[in-house]
Amino acid sequence: NISVDDLSMQAEQEAYRLIAMPYELRKSELLQIKRANETLHALIIAKMDTIRNQAKTQGGQMLLQQQAAGSAV
């Protein structure tokens, strides 16, 4: 049996690996994972959503900082 922490860590690692893949390849990999372990698949999807949301937030913050720096000149 695998612990919850181990499963979470595995899901996070897989999420970072998959998110960098082209869409079609990622879709195929996720389907294989879902067939093998639906719980892991659900965790990976959730982790990928979190990663995307963090990237959007960071990108927005960077844009605001650039705009603020530009208007300060």
Side-chain angles (χ1 to χ4, degrees):
N1 286 343
I2 188 167
S3 75
V4 174
D5 288 340
D6 289 342
L7 193 61
S8 180
M9 190 180 334
Q10 182 181 357
E12 186 167 353
Q13 290 170 348
E14 286 293 311
Y16 277 106
R17 182 180 72 84
L18 291 167
I19 211 162
M21 289 181 171
Y23 173 77
E24 289 300 322
L25 185 57
R26 178 173 58 243
K27 184 177 172 182
S28 174
E29 292 262 341
L30 282 169
L31 185 57
Q32 289 176 359
I33 292 167
K34 186 174 185 177
R35 288 180 182 149
N37 186 334
E38 288 191 25
T39 303
L40 179 60
H41 175 265
L43 285 171
I44 291 170
I45 296 297
K47 297 281 185 181
M48 288 173 61
D49 287 343
T50 300
I51 292 165
R52 287 185 185 113
N53 288 334
Q54 287 174 343
K56 287 178 188 175
T57 300
Q58 289 172 352
Q61 289 172 351
M62 289 174 60
L63 181 61
L64 289 174
Q65 289 172 351
Q66 289 173 351
Q67 289 174 347
S71 65
V73 174

